[in-house]
């Protein structure tokens, strides 16, 4: 029996201290990371976070949670634990692996945030990695035959590209012309952000060794295609369906990369002198029909808004993962937001930079944190993404630079 003095833990404010990522590479035999291990990529991000924040003693890290969708080979063996050891953290720091497909890193973040919030931990590292060149999506997966024999899902629910085509079918207003325009705009916004110096500060250079080309250094994202035009994409083939609407220009390319971040209780960040770049407000996950998995961010966002006591009109910045253009457009239509709304993915998105599945959630957060610094007039922002097999995830963040937020987290 608990003693009379025992008290349940009190929820604490959780803050996003910092996030970094590797440059993203194309998942192919001659891609940036063709000869680089997946675990080494994410180790690089953890070491960089510790380097950037010398006031954070490694002994103060309470947990390492690292996500991967295909947990085998160099992405297996309980990544959080192995990455912590490889990154030089004390052996006393535990860790674990996470899998929620595309929302893996997002789930790692919300898992450790919840743990920090109830007082079980003070500081944690969360992130994700996906080496799609070594581990193609669905490689050696063995879906239970009951899914199809008992008609639990349609056969096309297991092919993400086909689910994007299904979204076009379900919502006729989501035309190929709109998707093409959105994909071209993503490339242009990324190119503008890169030229303005808004991408490089969050990148961690990665040393490369190629048996044929020797040593090198990855310092920039490989997937973007600057200068893409509507005319150039108009006649692209539709690989998921003859006469379909989803093309390479409106899909995130297959990508290799990793991202990690530090989260802490707000009072611990103050104690250690760590920056507070965002405050976590609420988060939610939701399930939808697997056949149209791209709508997952819509109910997830509604749940997160409801839990926070906010409306969509309170959100001043949106970081929406661009698995497919049609998925973002479905979200925008659901909330009455214009395709070219400047609040949406100001730095471009995954269509340009790539989507290394389990790592993308932290990329969204890191970009939102930088945008908060640029826009102190914005109080709330959203990171959201669809998830394979019919899910969506959303995290709502508060901008500590906003005039209505004091340095101690109280509201004016």
């Amino acid at each position: 029996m608990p003693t009379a003095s025992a008290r349940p833990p009190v929820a604490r404010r959780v803050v996003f201290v910092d996030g970094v990522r590797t440059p993203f590479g194309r998942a192919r035999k001659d891609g940036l990371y063709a000869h680089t291990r997946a675990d080494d990529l994410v180790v690089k991000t953890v070491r960089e976070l510790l380097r950037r924040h010398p006031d954070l003693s490694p002994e103060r890290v309470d947990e390492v949670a690292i996500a991967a969708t295909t947990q085998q080979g160099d992405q297996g063996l309980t990544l959080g634990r192995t990455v912590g050891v490889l990154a030089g953290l004390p052996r006393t720091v535990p860790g674990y692996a996470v899998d929620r497909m595309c929302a893996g890193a997002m789930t790692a973040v919300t898992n450790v945030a919840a743990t920090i919030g109830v007082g079980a931990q003070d500081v944690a590292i969360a992130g994700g990695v996906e080496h799609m060149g070594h581990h193609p999506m669905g490689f050696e997966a063995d879906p239970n035959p009951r899914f199809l024999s008992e008609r639990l899902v349609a056969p096309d629910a297991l092919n993400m590209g086909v689910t994007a085509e299904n979204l076009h079918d379900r919502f006729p207003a989501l035309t190929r012309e709109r998707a093409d325009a959105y994909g071209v705009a993503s490339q242009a916004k990324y190119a503008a952000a890169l030229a303005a110096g808004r991408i490089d500060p969050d990148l961690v250079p990665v040393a490369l060794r190629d048996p044929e080309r020797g040593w090198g250094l990855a310092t920039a994202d490989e997937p973007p295609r600057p200068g893409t035009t509507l005319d150039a994409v108009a006649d692209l083939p539709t690989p998921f369906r003859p006469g379909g609407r989803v093309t390479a220009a409106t899909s995130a390319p297959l990508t290799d990369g990793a991202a990690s971040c530090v989260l802490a209780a707000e009072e611990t960040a103050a104690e250690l002198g760590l920056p507070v770049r965002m405050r976590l407000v609420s988060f939610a996950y939701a399930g939808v029909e697997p056949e149209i998995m791209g709508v997952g961010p819509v109910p997830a966002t509604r749940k997160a808004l409801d839990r926070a006591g906010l409306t969509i009109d309170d959100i001043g910045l949106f970081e929406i993962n661009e698995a497919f253009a049609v998925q973002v457009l479905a979200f925008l239509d659901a909330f009455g937001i214009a395709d070219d709304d400047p609040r949406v993915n100001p730095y471009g998105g995954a269509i340009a930079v790539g989507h290394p599945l389990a790592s993308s959630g932290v990329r969204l957060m890191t970009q939102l944190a930088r945008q908060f610094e640029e826009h102190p007039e914005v109080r709330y922002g959203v990171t959201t993404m669809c998830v394979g097999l019919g899910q969506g995830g959303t995290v709502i963040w508060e901008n500590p630079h906003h005039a209505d937020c004091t340095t101690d987290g109280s509201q004016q």
Side-chain angles (χ1 to χ4, degrees):
M1 296 291 291
T3 65
S5 62
R7 294 288 187 273
V10 177
R12 301 186 298 173
R13 293 178 69 98
V14 179
V15 300
F16 182 96
V17 171
D18 200 5
V20 297
R21 67 176 178 89
T22 67
F24 287 171
R26 287 191 170 272
R28 58 191 189 192
K29 292 182 178 180
D30 61 348
L32 274 180
Y33 302 125
H35 304 283
T36 303
R37 289 180 59 97
D39 48 11
D40 284 338
L41 289 176
V42 71
V43 165
K44 185 69 175 179
T45 65
V46 172
R47 285 179 172 169
E48 178 65 11
L49 288 169
L50 296 172
R51 186 194 69 81
R52 292 188 182 195
H53 300 284
D55 291 335
L56 175 58
S57 168
E59 287 76 16
R60 292 299 302 268
V61 177
D62 293 311
E63 186 75 272
V64 180
I66 302 297
T69 300
T70 306
Q71 295 192 11
Q72 60 181 209
D74 56 348
Q75 288 185 180
L77 202 59
T78 314
L79 270 173
R81 176 58 173 171
T82 57
V83 164
V85 172
L86 290 166
L89 291 173
R91 299 297 194 269
T92 53
V93 178
Y96 62 97
V98 177
D99 175 19
R100 199 196 295 262
M101 299 185 76
C102 302
M106 176 178 284
T107 302
V109 166
T110 56
N111 280 0
V112 301
T115 306
I116 292 170
V118 300
Q121 296 173 356
D122 295 323
V123 180
I125 292 173
V129 62
E130 208 74 45
H131 198 308
M132 301 181 76
H134 291 177
H135 310 284
M137 186 163 49
F139 180 67
E140 291 189 349
D142 182 20
N144 195 302
R146 290 181 52 226
F147 280 125
L148 301 182
S149 64
E150 298 180 18
R151 299 185 180 181
L152 299 175
V153 299
D156 53 17
L158 303 178
N159 184 307
M160 299 303 101
V162 176
T163 67
E165 290 284 6
N166 291 344
L167 264 185
H168 279 290
D169 294 342
R170 184 73 62 95
F171 303 104
L174 304 178
T175 63
R176 173 169 176 171
E177 290 72 23
R178 285 179 66 189
D180 282 353
Y182 185 89
V184 169
S186 180
Q187 297 282 356
K189 288 191 288 186
Y190 174 86
L194 181 66
R198 293 169 174 157
I199 303 297
D200 288 347
D202 299 321
L203 299 186
V204 182
V206 177
L208 307 172
R209 183 182 181 279
D210 187 298
E212 297 180 359
R213 291 177 286 187
W215 289 94
L217 191 66
T219 59
D221 295 313
E222 188 178 26
R225 296 185 180 278
T228 300
T229 65
L230 281 171
D231 287 343
V233 304
D235 296 323
L236 288 178
T238 57
F240 303 110
R241 180 189 298 174
R245 287 142 293 193
V246 179
T247 72
T250 58
S251 309
L254 302 178
T255 318
D256 306 329
S260 296
C261 65
V262 175
L263 295 111
E266 188 154 32
E267 59 265 35
T268 303
E271 172 199 344
L272 299 178
L274 299 174
V276 174
R277 300 187 66 194
M278 301 193 293
R279 297 188 180 99
L280 194 150
V281 177
S282 71
F283 64 88
Y285 297 92
V288 297
E289 298 173 58
E291 295 80 7
I292 52 168
M293 65 96 192
V295 299
V298 175
T301 299
R302 288 177 175 148
K303 286 174 69 174
L305 288 168
D306 184 63
R307 290 172 177 173
L310 299 172
T311 72
I312 199 69
D313 294 331
D314 293 312
I315 306 303
L317 287 165
F318 296 86
E319 274 294 321
I320 309 172
N321 192 46
E322 296 171 355
F324 301 95
V326 68
Q327 160 253 312
V328 180
L329 296 173
F331 179 94
L332 300 182
D333 281 4
F335 290 105
I337 301 171
D339 295 5
D340 59 353
D341 192 306
R343 297 174 297 167
V344 177
N345 292 6
Y347 297 174
I351 288 173
V353 75
H355 173 30
L357 302 181
S359 70
S360 289
V362 168
R363 178 187 67 81
L364 301 178
M365 295 168 192
T366 301
Q367 292 192 175
L368 180 62
R370 190 160 298 282
Q371 291 155 20
F372 272 169
E373 294 166 358
E374 297 172 7
H375 296 283
E377 76 282 4
V378 171
R379 183 164 186 178
Y380 298 108
V382 157
T383 54
T384 187
M385 60 202 316
C386 60
V387 187
L389 297 182
Q391 300 182 80
T394 296
V395 187
I396 298 177
W397 303 90
E398 184 180 41
N399 186 354
H401 310 289
H402 190 273
D404 290 339
C405 298
T406 62
T407 54
D408 65 0
S410 61
Q411 297 181 2
Q412 295 180 344

